[in-house]
Amino acid sequence: MSQTDAPAGPWTLRGAHTEYTVAVPGHGRWLELTAWGPHGVSTGPSPVAYAGPTPYFTAGDAAPVEYATDGLRPFAGADLVLETAGGDRGVQWRFVEADGDDAALRVVFADEATGARATLHYRIPAGTDVVERWVELANTGDAALRVVRAGSAGFSVPTPHGARLSYLWGQWAQEFQLDHVELTRGRFSVGSAQGVPGHAFAPWLAVRDRAGADGPTWGTALTWTGSWEIAADVENGGLTRVRVGRLLADGPLELPAGETLVLPVAAGAYSDDGLDGLARVWHRYQRQLAGDRLERVRPVLYNSWEATYFDVRADSQLELARVAAELGVETFVVDDGWFVGRDDDRGGLGDWTPDPAKFPDGFGAFVDEVRALGLNFGLWVEPECVSPRSRLYAEHPDWVYSVHGRPLTPIRNQYLLDLGRPEVAEFVHGTLDGLLSTYDIGYLKWDFNRPRTEPGRPGSGPVDLDGGHVANLYRILAALRRDHPGVLIEACAGGGARADLAMAARTDVIWPSDNTGPLDRLAIQYGFLHANAPHLMSSWVTDAPGIFDPRPRSLAFRFVLAMAGVLGIGADLRHWGPAQRAEAAEWIARYKRIRHVVTRGEVHLVGGPDQDRCAVQYTGVDGREIVVLAWHPGRLDGAGLLPSRPVRLPLRGLAPEGTYRHGEQVYSGAHLTSVGLPVRWSAEHDAELIVLTRD
Ligand code: DGJ
């Protein structure tokens, strides 16, 4: 192995519209970002350059270091901290080697004192402006090391006037709230220590210069379904350093001699078109992550949760299924409550056998009856959890996370299985594989209704609980997708607590929130679409007034809202009269005509829930079809409404000289962009679906 102090690189990775260039400077101890932005423009290092070394600057402060160890003593803190058995820290890299091309790069560093070796990986998937970064950390020494901090990447972004940071916060039933913070100096961080991405923050952050409103915008997101952290430090020299990675909430990890730890992919994205442009960069990337499965039509589904809750019975489910089929629904999903011991949320989890009292003719016969209506069949499961009042828990009390001598913490009356244990993973996989093999199931809703609380596996030494859980989750998802390729999988975690890039790659749809109340949902979906593509956004039309947000909105409003992604219905259809059913059938038919544009088109977030111009524009891949979904988010009593004066929606990305037709109306692209598409609201008319076609 040849180690050198000579400079190495630069290496440039090329995206669709961007370049990412890194180099090892003369001292050979770290990798430095030299450009990240549009082709040919060096936007990496701060324009406010450090004025040469001062006694207080370390090398880690004077350059945009890509992966900083504590040995560099960086101002913003280290990405990686390792410790020897004797407590020594301070890894200092030496460059070893690099290879790659303009799509992928691998740079290797080694630390003689500890035997640690880091391989930094870079990849820009074709056609995207997203750089994927991850690290393989090997212990080549002969003694175990402790990993104290395990960041995946650091990104340095030029913010000479301070940073404007955008993030998604929330809580149960109020996920994906978009908010911003202006930070001139110091640190802002978001994360989760719950063993799951969580409701409080999405693993996503966007950074802009404070003076650059809608201009160059950088973003990061993490491909990890466990605990995580994203921190942004606005340094005095004009850079914002963003650290992204796992949060080792349970304490340091052991890295035995000879072993390798692979840290999750941190993705960095760039757009020169503000947050809206950044959303499109993420959407394109997630479409790549979906691979062939993007081609699958996400079905219009009916989910019985809000109609029947735990009172699942074959006759009432079939009644719902018959109406759903008449309306044009394609998949019927039976939610929580179908298995033995599950009459409320206090029992049953773990005993995944259909309840014979609820399905007297057998579950298979019930599924066949649903399918005979022309519907695909979907089933809800929460396989990582167990009810204290279940046979599984009675037989395997040792399968849950627990700390010896301490009481367990029930949340929603349930415990969490330690999925990192091979026998638990085998049980979970076997259960799901068994259900999918026994019954004619085409859709699986995989729920997860509690965070991890107990940081322990009795009888084991130090163990990476989070890493083990997440790895087996991914293994099981991969096996199910391989063995049951026809089954679509929906990710859900008490609403939207499990929405990250890894789940975007491994599932087909994500449930953003339990809150389907129209105005609340508008804000939730607006935030969700900033980080996630519409093919992932599952949404239901539910009954009004809703349980969360009782503010009245028309059926049209609720349909147009749920059509912004993957349309579903969660209302109790048994109580819908002929007029409502007819209107619903019409909306569903319209959705089927436009869903290829909605789920695959270029999204422009025209206006948010607190703006008059609240709308989303979807431009079909060939630019010929434009779907605009618009909502009136204000008061419906007429206050503030001027029906004579339409709201104008400024559309984007159109050909200025192009001609766009909506019925009899013909507009030029320039008009739609600068004057806007008119919509008129009234107390009765609070939502619009407009399809424009280019001549
Ligand atoms: C939480 C989910 O988000 C809901 O949609 C529903 O599936 C319930 N769990 C069932 O317990």
Side-chain angles (χ1 to χ4, degrees), residues 669-680:
H671 179 91
L672 291 170
T673 308
S674 53
V675 180
L677 176 69
V679 286
R680 283 172 208 280

Side-chain angles (χ1 to χ4, degrees), residues 143-205:
L145 293 171
R146 270 196 294 273
V147 184
V148 178
R149 181 178 284 180
S152 287
F155 293 102
S156 296
V157 170
T159 51
H161 306 92
R164 180 170 163 81
L165 306 171
S166 302
Y167 62 101
L168 296 165
W169 67 275
Q171 56 183 331
W172 175 70
Q174 207 190 349
E175 298 88 336
F176 301 104
Q177 306 296 309
L178 179 67
D179 208 345
H180 318 275
V181 59
E182 304 251 318
L183 200 63
T184 45
R185 286 173 195 89
R187 177 167 305 171
F188 173 83
S189 77
V190 290
S192 159
Q194 298 191 319
V196 64
H199 294 92
F201 298 103
W204 176 96
L205 186 79

Side-chain angles (χ1 to χ4, degrees), residues 42 54 75 167 201 251 267 279 332 362 365 515 522 544 612 647 653:
S42 173
T54 81
F75 175 80
Y167 62 101
F201 298 103
F332 184 82
N515 190 339
L522 206 52
D612 275 354
V647 170

Side-chain angles (χ1 to χ4, degrees), residues 299-483:
V300 176
L301 65 77
Y302 179 82
N303 180 301
S304 61
W305 174 241
E306 285 202 20
T308 57
Y309 291 105
F310 295 103
D311 187 19
V312 173
R313 282 176 291 107
D315 51 358
S316 51
Q317 296 296 308
L318 284 169
E319 217 182 319
L320 288 163
R322 271 181 221 111
V323 186
E326 274 167 33
L327 302 186
V329 163
E330 295 159 316
T331 293
F332 184 82
V333 183
V334 172
D335 210 280
D336 198 352
W338 56 269
F339 45 101
V340 286
R342 194 64 169 170
D343 297 318
D344 52 37
D345 66 11
R346 288 172 302 171
L349 294 177
D351 300 343
W352 299 103
T353 309
D355 187 341
K358 295 181 173 178
F359 301 97
D361 299 331
F363 196 63
F366 165 72
V367 175
D368 291 346
E369 278 198 69
V370 172
R371 298 209 63 124
L373 295 167
L375 293 162
N376 217 319
F377 184 76
L379 194 64
W380 175 96
V381 287
E382 191 181 1
E384 297 147 272
C385 286
V386 61
S387 306
R389 220 175 57 188
S390 66
R391 209 185 60 208
L392 182 73
Y393 186 66
E395 286 171 4
H396 299 287
D398 52 325
W399 278 11
V400 301
Y401 290 109
S402 67
V403 174
H404 185 68
R406 296 197 192 280
L408 296 176
T409 314
I411 296 179
R412 207 199 190 204
N413 303 307
Q414 62 201 50
Y415 301 142
L416 187 58
L417 293 175
D418 178 353
L419 192 64
R421 295 171 66 133
E423 62 277 30
V424 174
E426 202 182 309
F427 164 79
V428 168
H429 173 250
T431 299
L432 297 176
D433 185 58
L435 286 168
L436 297 181
S437 308
T438 310
Y439 304 108
D440 199 352
I441 296 172
Y443 191 96
L444 195 68
K445 177 177 171 187
W446 184 319
D447 203 347
F448 182 89
N449 281 296
R450 59 154 297 161
R452 181 159 62 77
T453 42
E454 276 64 48
R457 178 184 298 167
S460 75
V463 59
D464 180 6
L465 297 175
D466 221 16
H469 195 115
V470 171
N472 279 342
L473 172 68
Y474 296 165
R475 269 187 211 116
I476 296 166
L477 282 167
L480 295 178
R481 281 158 57 109
R482 181 195 62 218
D483 300 337

Side-chain angles (χ1 to χ4, degrees), residues 57-69:
F57 275 170
T58 70
D61 300 324
V65 174
E66 283 285 271
Y67 193 59
T69 67

